[in-house]
């Protein structure tokens, strides 16, 4: 086999293998979705707290249907589909944790730290589970349900509270309106959590 033909076949085979590793379900979505916080800490603002007064917001646990960058649509009590051509830039529980941290830092006087810094300032923790983060096709609403668990410094006290928000999709279940409705619902939940933590 001529070397030029062998090289062409090798390149074609390499491209084919690479295309098998990177897939968006057969079609690249026109854009990727993310969550934007309605509130964020002011630039240049400094806060001080003792170790015990810091707050670490952990990435919430999530059921299998949310451990993907796709957006689930609950069709009925027994079946789940996904929004066509809609993908998050990263796992929704990580996006929600980041939005929650921004909102709590902006709406309270708490010093919020990343979970990677917890060992240096082991204060209060906010853990929990992101139970719902998708669309209910029956009501045409975006729904966010977060089961929060507030753990006092040293783990001496544990308080649980469930937060839920629903927002109308306002039309067909498509990527852009669904992303916007989920962002509104996530910000509502984050604001309610901040109010709880600020007490």
């Amino acid at each position: 086999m001529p070397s030029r033909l062998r090289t062409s076949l090798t390149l074609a085979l390499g491209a084919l293998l690479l295309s098998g590793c990177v897939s968006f379900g057969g079609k690249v979505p026109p854009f990727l979705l993310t969550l934007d916080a309605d509130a964020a800490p002011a630039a240049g603002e400094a806060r001080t707290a003792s170790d015990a007064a810091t707050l670490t917001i952990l990435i919430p646990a999530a059921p299998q249907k949310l451990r993907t960058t796709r957006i689930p649509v609950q069709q009925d009590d027994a079946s789940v589909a996904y929004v066509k051509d809609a993908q998050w830039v990263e796992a929704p529980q990580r996006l929600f944790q980041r939005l929650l941290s921004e909102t709590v830092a902006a709406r309270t006087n708490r010093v919020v730290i990343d979970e990677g810094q917890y060992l240096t300032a082991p204060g209060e923790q906010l853990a929990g589970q992101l139970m719902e983060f998708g669309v209910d096709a029956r009501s045409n609403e975006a729904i966010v349900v977060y089961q929060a668990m507030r753990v006092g410094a040293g783990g001496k006290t544990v308080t649980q509270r469930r937060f839920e928000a629903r927002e109308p999709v306002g039309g067909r279940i498509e990527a852009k309106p669904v992303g916007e409705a989920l962002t509104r619902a996530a910000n509502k939940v984050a604001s309610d959590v901040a109010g709880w933590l600020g007490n």
Side-chain angles (χ1 to χ4, degrees):
M1 181 184 293
S3 61
R4 182 178 297 176
L5 179 58
R6 192 163 45 240
T7 301
S8 298
L9 287 174
T10 302
L11 290 174
L13 180 60
L16 182 62
L17 291 173
L18 182 61
S19 68
C21 296
V22 181
S23 173
F24 289 92
K27 182 181 179 183
V28 178
F31 51 84
L32 296 175
L33 301 170
T34 189
L35 296 176
D36 291 321
D38 287 343
E45 180 183 1
R47 296 180 186 180
T48 304
S50 65
D51 287 353
T54 60
L55 174 67
T56 304
I57 298 179
L58 305 177
I59 298 172
Q64 185 62 42
K65 70 177 181 179
L66 297 182
R67 282 184 243 157
T68 174
T69 55
R70 302 174 72 189
I71 301 175
V73 180
Q74 194 73 39
Q75 303 283 346
D76 52 43
D77 291 338
S79 60
V80 175
Y82 289 93
V83 179
K84 183 181 178 182
D85 297 334
Q87 287 190 357
W88 298 111
V89 295
E90 58 183 323
Q93 57 266 42
R94 182 68 177 106
L95 290 172
F96 180 73
Q97 182 259 355
R98 195 174 291 122
L99 180 142
L100 194 53
S101 296
E102 287 276 291
T103 304
V104 171
R107 297 189 182 277
T108 72
N109 60 358
R110 304 297 301 268
V111 173
V112 179
I113 62 175
D114 186 83
E115 61 183 280
Q117 301 168 310
Y118 176 72
L119 292 177
T120 62
E124 192 174 41
Q125 284 187 317
L126 181 69
Q129 183 176 10
L130 191 59
M131 303 175 73
E132 295 288 347
F133 201 83
V135 177
D136 186 339
R138 295 160 293 190
S139 61
N140 202 37
E141 292 176 313
I143 176 171
V144 175
V145 179
Y146 175 57
Q147 180 76 33
M149 185 171 68
R150 186 175 181 177
V151 183
K156 296 179 180 178
T157 60
V158 177
T159 308
Q160 280 191 327
R161 185 170 170 182
R162 185 185 177 106
F163 298 88
E164 180 175 331
R166 290 175 175 264
E167 286 288 331
V169 173
R172 295 179 61 186
I173 297 176
E174 296 175 335
K176 192 170 188 297
V178 165
E180 291 170 349
L182 277 169
T183 296
R184 293 194 304 271
N187 272 287
K188 176 66 167 59
V189 168
S191 180
D192 291 345
V193 173
W196 178 51
L197 293 172
N199 294 332

